[in-house]
Amino acid sequence: MAAKEIKGITPRSKDYSQWYLDVVAQADLAENSAVRGCMVIKPYGYAIWERMQAEMDRRFKETGHVNAYFPLFIPKSYFSREAEHVAGFAKECAIVTHYRLKNDPDGKGVIVDPDAKLEEELIVRPTSETIIWSTYKNWIQSWRDLPILCNQWANVVRWEMRTRLFLRTAEFLWQEGHTAHATREEAIEEAKRMLGVYADFAEKVLALPVIQGVKSETERFGGALDTYTIEAMMQDGKALQSGTSHFLGQNFAKAFDVQFLNKEGEREYVWATSWGTSTRLLGGMIMAHSDDNGLILPPSVSPIDVAIVPIYKTGEQLEQIRKHVEPLMDEIRKRGFTVKFDDNDTKKPGWKFAEYEVKGVPVRLAIGARDLEAGTIEVARRDTLTKETISFSTAGAHIEALLDDIQKNIYNKALRYREEHTVTADSYDEFKAALDGGNFVLAHWDGSAETEALIKEETRATIRCVPFEGDKTPGKCIRTGKPSPCRVLFARAY
Amino acid sequence: MAAKEIKGITPRSKDYSQWYLDVVAQADLAENSAVRGCMVIKPYGYAIWERMQAEMDRRFKETGHVNAYFPLFIPKSYFSREAEHVAGFAKECAIVTHYRLKNDPDGKGVIVDPDAKLEEELIVRPTSETIIWSTYKNWIQSWRDLPILCNQWANVVRWEMRTRLFLRTAEFLWQEGHTAHATREEAIEEAKRMLGVYADFAEKVLALPVIQGVKSETERFGGALDTYTIEAMMQDGKALQSGTSHFLGQNFAKAFDVQFLNKEGEREYVWATSWGTSTRLLGGMIMAHSDDNGLILPPSVSPIDVAIVPIYKTGEQLEQIRKHVEPLMDEIRKRGFTVKFDDNDTKKPGWKFAEYEVKGVPVRLAIGARDLEAGTIEVARRDTLTKETISFSTAGAHIEALLDDIQKNIYNKALRYREEHTVTADSYDEFKAALDGGNFVLAHWDGSAETEALIKEETRATIRCVPFEGDKTPGKCIRTGKPSPCRVLFARAY
């Protein structure tokens, strides 16, 4: 949108954190705002989020969920009702105490009106379990009212001290599912189903391979009996928690007194789940796939799949090219992809090539007078940075196959990277060396929170999850030597 | 979702306000939350909003706009920068003063941590001009960066004292467009274009006839040079402002020092527009179309266009009916409509008929064993509450024509009602009588804010707009007798 020069991007090898910020800035995805920790999601970044939303929303609806909307504010007292929840969650948050400004009697500005103090402070939602379960109380009387399968697309606020665009921001956009069930089994099944939906979305749409598993007690969501997670590997070997799904048991039903009459006519507390993914996942995708030349986007979420750059000297030539490529553009659209013909006259082709590269457009075409004569077109793919000249007459089919290949290649590359950087360790020295080498480490752990804390303190690694699939052979804890039922996944994490 | 009895709805003639609230409650659209003035939008209400959003969003994109996302919070000082804006807007709003809770040393609960006070208070956005123009400052250097055509889908908060579901709530959902232009003419054209988009959406999609016009100075948006509006008539003759589009001149550019280099190399302030519609429009649609039996929805936004109720005694009969109607359901879907087969075994057909009626489903079909034999199906249309039995074999085409007719009929009915309740008045007595009769009144006004205020005080009527189209003959002000260039639209309003 704004005119800008394509500037250098710090190489990953030099400074991975700075590289990420450079990619986000150069691809025009987001920027920091005047408000501490809150980001502006720029049009190009938001267009990616919209495609992610559409894909997720479709999957939620296909699994029987409906959307609803609950209040932004939560009365402070609600956070005292579920003890684990407040301990884990509601401490660092934005608090509304007043509801009116007035003119500053001493100046031109405005001040908070001291007479407009709220009787009870309101918390800007960091997550919505409490306000939603206070609402569900009125919606649920009998087993006939169950299950309730609601999702909400919303903004939430957590007063993070150290923020980074998309990955950790004070305000972020997310979806939060909140479901209510008649039985424990059904709730667990739902929580696992939604983790499966997240994993499928991450792998098929974002081309992001993930490890599914269950969190240790320490890493659980505040108020959950179990937290299921998908964990992705970034290119520095660190883990990014990319989505979580919680089996909440009857904790919130008890906190807000939500009971139902079961088929036997007895009163029971309702069983709950919640599950969420956020704009953080967008950051994870950027970090996992991009390279030193900028953003790499899987075609499934790229706002532009194919960009066409005409090479021309005169307006007449431009119109010739436009007319020539129009049938190809129609064909590309019919095949289900988005295509843009870049006839911006204030920019040179070289600038446009660089721009589409840094913005991660999967396929870039170039066509000039010589191509028109020869019946050819130049095709550049972003993921491998390779170019070829192909026959114009079969370009449509070629491009469709190429986009399909790009989607697969991005996934396979990320999967290969993770496989090459996942090791098993059987001693603490091996463990620490593996972490320093930028790896996921599968290792034995004695199951105690104390040992987990000790390992974290000594190595900065946390237990990402107990993977659903993997080595279930018992062994000995790498730190204490005590018995361990199976290997768990350790990593340093964002 | 929750099991409920279809209860009586207060008739419009008895208590119009209560009727509206009853319709919203019985159709399961929304409810008040535990937080003063904030509503819960229930799944059925939210599904309507989603259809509205999709239709609007498509129209915004077709007119060249892109979506983005800006922070929820605005530094307090930003509101002092544009004097008219703060006067009109930022007074009644939610103010964040602290960022941390801590355990209450004297009890089990949590308290606001007095040590976690913000240096500068943050306002929860009541509208986003200030935060967006502080951002645009960094996006705009030259004429090449213009225009910027951004829209945002977001929640906003205005601390309203008297709230009513959808129509006026402390938190509401909306979209706000914010555009930046190189010339005054281009900005005015944009503001008018978007009002046209709103009018087209209201009339074609919501079946809501609207009057387009320009606001008087008194009724302008704070900070605007001109506010354009669409005004709809409710069934009590009151007006509902349904969408506004503002020509902001250079006010916000000056407040946030946003200049650009024009083609001549000179620095100029940028020209601005903003435009918004909200969940209020959903309330307006409900209030304009519904009847004493509940909600009436135009097919264009109804989450369910066609509901099929099987009449059966045995499970075998149900399966027979299901198999029989499946091809019809496929056909209805192919024709572009949504259809639901209601096989809920815990509810009787009569309950279902009442439920679809109160929820405003445009077409309800019923089919039983006798219909299977006779090759017929019963078709009930919600808008006219009429029923007929038609041939099953041609039902698909019949239903498509019917849905088309329902959409038109709802619009025409509302238009007829407005036309029958719009009068011209040439004396103050006529004027007051017309208002008391529940009418829009076209009358002369001398153009002064004093007269406008006087009329409002004496009659509770406001100038809704100076209509773009209408009688432009000069005359004499109904209140003061002073000269008036044209008739303006007066009404009592929500």
Side-chain angles (χ1 to χ4, degrees):
Chain A
M1 184 162 288
K4 73 175 164 51
E5 299 299 315
I6 305 292
K7 291 170 209 140
I9 292 172
T10 307
R12 286 163 289 183
S13 57
K14 193 175 165 195
D15 183 342
Y16 191 75
S17 287
Q18 189 56 46
W19 162 78
Y20 170 76
L21 293 177
D22 289 348
V23 170
V24 170
Q26 292 302 313
D28 234 5
L29 299 171
E31 64 185 37
N32 287 309
S33 77
V35 183
R36 217 197 109 281
C38 292
M39 67 178 159
V40 172
I41 307 180
K42 299 180 84 171
Y44 193 63
Y46 198 84
I48 300 171
W49 178 240
E50 280 182 309
R51 290 201 70 178
M52 291 171 61
Q53 280 190 300
E55 286 283 348
M56 279 200 271
D57 199 66
R58 186 170 60 73
R59 284 166 161 80
F60 298 157
K61 283 173 178 157
E62 280 170 5
T63 46
H65 301 85
V66 289
N67 288 328
Y69 188 77
F70 298 87
L72 172 66
F73 300 126
I74 303 177
K76 190 191 64 177
S77 59
Y78 281 29
F79 284 103
S80 312
R81 297 227 196 154
E82 216 295 317
E84 297 289 329
H85 189 62
V86 69
F89 243 93
K91 292 293 174 62
E92 307 291 328
C93 51
I95 304 162
V96 176
T97 57
H98 291 74
Y99 60 85
R100 195 189 304 133
L101 293 173
K102 64 174 195 175
N103 290 326
D104 184 351
D106 300 328
K108 292 187 302 176
V110 284
I111 59 167
V112 177
D113 184 344
D115 295 336
K117 196 171 184 313
L118 292 171
E119 274 182 45
E120 180 177 3
E121 295 89 350
L122 297 172
I123 312 302
V124 180
R125 63 183 162 214
T127 180
S128 301
E129 278 77 8
T130 55
I131 190 80
I132 288 180
W133 278 87
S134 81
T135 306
Y136 281 178
K137 181 174 170 57
N138 303 319
W139 293 8
I140 300 170
Q141 280 91 43
S142 108
W143 62 272
R144 285 186 196 83
D145 304 325
L146 297 171
I148 292 178
L149 304 172
C150 278
N151 176 63
Q152 159 169 282
W153 290 96
N155 53 345
V156 287
V157 173
R158 297 175 189 177
W159 210 261
E160 301 286 354
M161 280 304 163
R162 281 185 220 159
T163 61
R164 192 179 333 208
L165 293 168
F166 292 118
L167 297 178
R168 195 174 293 276
T169 48
E171 181 192 15
F172 54 92
L173 303 183
W174 80 341
Q175 61 67 218
E176 47 182 326
H178 294 272
T179 70
H181 305 268
T183 67
R184 176 188 186 89
E185 293 67 34
E186 198 184 298
I188 293 174
E189 195 186 317
E190 164 77 6
K192 288 187 173 167
R193 179 186 303 118
M194 297 322 291
L195 193 80
V197 167
Y198 287 162
D200 182 73
F201 167 75
E203 300 196 333
K204 301 262 176 59
V205 180
L206 304 182
L208 195 64
V210 292
I211 293 171
Q212 299 182 48
V214 60
K215 288 280 182 192
S216 66
E217 196 178 336
T218 307
E219 299 280 336
R220 250 179 228 155
F221 174 79
L225 297 192
D226 256 326
T227 288
Y228 308 114
T229 182
I230 52 171
E231 300 281 328
M233 178 179 272
M234 303 295 102
Q235 294 177 66
D236 58 354
K238 284 166 83 171
L240 186 93
Q241 178 178 302
S242 305
T244 48
S245 181
H246 315 290
F247 167 54
L248 303 171
Q250 296 171 311
N251 287 348
F252 286 92
K254 283 176 181 164
F256 290 91
D257 190 31
V258 188
Q259 300 184 55
F260 72 106
L261 274 182
N262 66 20
K263 286 188 184 177
E264 288 74 41
E266 294 153 355
R267 297 186 70 77
E268 267 190 78
Y269 285 108
V270 177
W271 298 87
T273 84
S274 67
W275 27 276
T277 57
S278 73
T279 36
R280 174 168 229 230
L281 195 45
L282 208 169
M285 180 187 69
I286 297 164
M287 224 184 200
H289 299 323
S290 302
D291 66 15
D292 292 348
N293 294 55
L295 189 62
I296 290 181
L297 283 177
S300 293
V301 289
S302 181
I304 305 166
D305 293 317
V306 180
I308 305 180
V309 178
I311 319 285
Y312 62 95
K313 286 184 185 141
T314 65
E316 197 185 340
Q317 280 178 346
L318 172 63
E319 290 318 307
Q320 264 184 340
I321 295 170
R322 190 198 305 274
K323 210 171 153 188
H324 182 69
V325 299
E326 255 165 26
L328 175 61
M329 291 178 64
D330 284 344
E331 191 187 340
I332 292 170
R333 288 196 189 101
K334 273 193 196 120
R335 287 173 187 270
F337 301 101
T338 53
V339 55
K340 177 184 165 177
F341 182 73
D342 188 346
D343 58 1
N344 183 344
D345 204 44
T346 68
K347 299 280 185 272
K348 294 218 154 53
W351 190 96
K352 293 177 184 175
F353 293 171
E355 178 76 357
Y356 292 121
E357 189 171 293
V358 84
K359 285 195 157 178
V361 172
V363 170
R364 188 261 299 155
L365 308 177
I367 185 162
R370 274 186 302 178
D371 291 297
L372 256 60
E373 270 174 40
T376 56
I377 190 163
E378 187 192 77
V379 181
R381 63 185 277 181
R382 173 63 185 91
D383 61 333
T384 55
L385 291 171
T386 51
K387 281 195 281 200
E388 57 182 330
T389 298
I390 64 165
S391 162
F392 186 81
S393 63
T394 54
H398 184 93
I399 289 164
E400 177 167 358
L402 192 60
L403 285 165
D404 186 48
D405 191 58
I406 292 171
Q407 182 81 25
K408 285 187 187 131
N409 181 54
I410 295 176
Y411 176 80
N412 287 334
K413 197 178 159 196
L415 181 61
R416 206 160 50 237
Y417 190 89
R418 190 189 76 195
E419 284 172 348
E420 287 168 5
H421 292 83
T422 301
V423 300
T424 57
D426 290 312
S427 76
Y428 206 45
D429 284 342
E430 256 177 63
F431 178 84
K432 287 187 280 191
L435 285 172
D436 289 340
N439 293 291
F440 278 8
V441 190
L442 291 160
H444 282 288
W445 161 59
D446 65 19
S448 79
E450 294 71 27
T451 305
E452 189 180 3
L454 200 61
I455 293 173
K456 183 176 178 183
E457 197 191 312
E458 291 171 348
T459 70
R460 289 179 292 124
T462 49
I463 297 173
R464 304 316 304 156
C465 66
V466 184
F468 291 153
E469 289 174 9
D471 186 356
K472 299 289 178 195
T473 323
K476 283 180 179 172
C477 176
I478 40 152
R479 181 63 181 79
T480 63
K482 289 184 189 163
S484 149
C486 67
R487 288 182 190 272
V488 301
L489 181 69
F490 282 95
R492 292 183 184 138
Y494 280 94
Chain B
M1 182 163 289
K4 72 177 165 51
E5 300 297 316
I6 305 290
K7 288 169 209 142
I9 292 172
T10 307
R12 283 163 291 184
S13 57
K14 194 176 165 195
D15 184 342
Y16 191 75
S17 287
Q18 189 56 47
W19 163 78
Y20 171 76
L21 294 176
D22 289 347
V23 170
V24 170
Q26 293 302 312
D28 234 6
L29 299 172
E31 66 186 36
N32 288 309
S33 77
V35 183
R36 215 198 113 282
C38 292
M39 66 178 161
V40 172
I41 307 180
K42 300 180 81 171
Y44 192 63
Y46 199 83
I48 299 171
W49 178 240
E50 279 181 311
R51 289 201 71 179
M52 291 171 61
Q53 280 190 300
E55 285 284 348
M56 277 199 273
D57 198 67
R58 186 170 59 74
R59 284 167 164 79
F60 298 156
K61 284 174 178 156
E62 281 171 4
T63 44
H65 301 86
V66 290
N67 288 327
Y69 189 77
F70 297 88
L72 171 66
F73 300 126
I74 302 177
K76 190 190 66 177
S77 59
Y78 281 29
F79 283 105
S80 312
R81 297 226 198 154
E82 214 294 317
E84 296 291 326
H85 190 61
V86 69
F89 244 93
K91 293 294 174 61
E92 307 291 328
C93 51
I95 304 162
V96 176
T97 57
H98 290 74
Y99 60 84
R100 196 189 304 133
L101 293 172
K102 65 173 195 175
N103 290 326
D104 183 351
D106 299 328
K108 291 187 302 179
V110 283
I111 59 167
V112 177
D113 185 343
D115 294 337
K117 195 170 183 317
L118 291 170
E119 275 181 46
E120 179 177 4
E121 295 89 350
L122 296 172
I123 312 302
V124 180
R125 62 182 162 216
T127 180
S128 301
E129 278 76 7
T130 55
I131 190 80
I132 288 180
W133 279 86
S134 82
T135 307
Y136 281 178
K137 182 175 169 57
N138 303 318
W139 293 8
I140 300 170
Q141 279 91 42
S142 107
W143 61 272
R144 287 187 195 81
D145 303 326
L146 296 171
I148 293 178
L149 304 172
C150 278
N151 175 64
Q152 159 169 281
W153 290 96
N155 53 345
V156 287
V157 173
R158 298 175 188 177
W159 209 262
E160 301 286 354
M161 279 308 162
R162 283 185 218 158
T163 62
R164 189 175 340 203
L165 293 168
F166 293 118
L167 297 179
R168 196 175 292 277
T169 49
E171 182 193 16
F172 56 92
L173 303 184
W174 80 341
Q175 59 68 217
E176 48 181 324
H178 295 272
T179 69
H181 306 267
T183 67
R184 177 189 185 90
E185 293 67 34
E186 197 185 299
I188 292 175
E189 194 186 318
E190 164 78 6
K192 288 188 173 168
R193 179 186 303 117
M194 297 322 291
L195 192 79
V197 166
Y198 287 163
D200 182 74
F201 167 75
E203 302 197 333
K204 301 261 175 59
V205 180
L206 304 182
L208 195 63
V210 291
I211 293 172
Q212 300 181 50
V214 60
K215 287 282 184 192
S216 65
E217 196 177 336
T218 307
E219 300 281 333
R220 250 179 228 156
F221 174 79
L225 298 193
D226 256 325
T227 289
Y228 307 113
T229 181
I230 52 172
E231 300 283 327
M233 178 179 271
M234 303 294 103
Q235 294 177 68
D236 57 354
K238 284 167 83 172
L240 187 94
Q241 178 178 304
S242 304
T244 48
S245 182
H246 315 290
F247 167 55
L248 302 172
Q250 296 173 311
N251 287 347
F252 286 93
K254 284 178 181 165
F256 290 91
D257 190 30
V258 187
Q259 300 183 51
F260 73 105
L261 274 183
N262 67 19
K263 286 189 185 176
E264 288 72 42
E266 294 152 357
R267 297 186 71 76
E268 267 191 77
Y269 284 108
V270 177
W271 298 86
T273 84
S274 68
W275 27 276
T277 58
S278 72
T279 37
R280 174 168 229 229
L281 196 44
L282 209 169
M285 180 187 67
I286 298 164
M287 223 183 202
H289 300 322
S290 303
D291 66 15
D292 292 349
N293 294 57
L295 189 62
I296 290 180
L297 283 178
S300 293
V301 289
S302 181
I304 305 166
D305 294 316
V306 180
I308 305 179
V309 178
I311 319 286
Y312 61 95
K313 285 184 183 142
T314 65
E316 197 184 339
Q317 280 177 344
L318 173 62
E319 291 317 308
Q320 264 183 339
I321 295 170
R322 190 198 304 274
K323 211 171 152 187
H324 182 69
V325 300
E326 256 165 24
L328 176 61
M329 291 176 66
D330 284 344
E331 191 187 339
I332 292 171
R333 287 195 190 103
K334 273 193 197 122
R335 288 174 187 267
F337 301 101
T338 54
V339 55
K340 178 184 166 178
F341 182 73
D342 189 347
D343 58 1
N344 183 344
D345 206 43
T346 69
K347 299 279 186 275
K348 294 217 155 53
W351 191 95
K352 292 177 185 177
F353 293 171
E355 177 77 357
Y356 292 122
E357 189 170 295
V358 85
K359 286 195 157 180
V361 172
V363 170
R364 187 261 298 155
L365 309 177
I367 185 162
R370 272 187 301 177
D371 291 298
L372 257 58
E373 272 174 39
T376 56
I377 190 162
E378 187 192 78
V379 181
R381 63 185 276 181
R382 174 62 184 92
D383 60 333
T384 55
L385 291 170
T386 51
K387 281 196 280 201
E388 58 181 329
T389 298
I390 64 165
S391 162
F392 186 82
S393 63
T394 55
H398 184 94
I399 289 163
E400 177 167 357
L402 193 60
L403 286 165
D404 186 48
D405 192 58
I406 291 170
Q407 181 81 25
K408 285 187 187 133
N409 181 54
I410 295 175
Y411 176 80
N412 288 333
K413 198 178 159 196
L415 181 62
R416 207 161 47 238
Y417 190 89
R418 191 189 76 194
E419 284 172 349
E420 287 167 5
H421 290 83
T422 302
V423 299
T424 57
D426 291 310
S427 76
Y428 207 44
D429 283 343
E430 256 177 63
F431 178 83
K432 286 186 280 192
L435 285 172
D436 289 340
N439 293 290
F440 276 8
V441 190
L442 291 161
H444 282 289
W445 160 60
D446 64 19
S448 79
E450 294 71 28
T451 305
E452 190 180 1
L454 201 61
I455 293 172
K456 184 176 178 183
E457 197 191 310
E458 291 170 349
T459 68
R460 288 179 293 123
T462 49
I463 298 172
R464 304 316 304 154
C465 66
V466 183
F468 291 153
E469 290 174 9
D471 186 356
K472 300 289 179 195
T473 323
K476 283 181 180 171
C477 175
I478 40 153
R479 182 63 182 79
T480 63
K482 290 183 188 164
S484 148
C486 66
R487 288 181 191 273
V488 302
L489 181 69
F490 282 94
R492 292 183 183 135
Y494 281 94

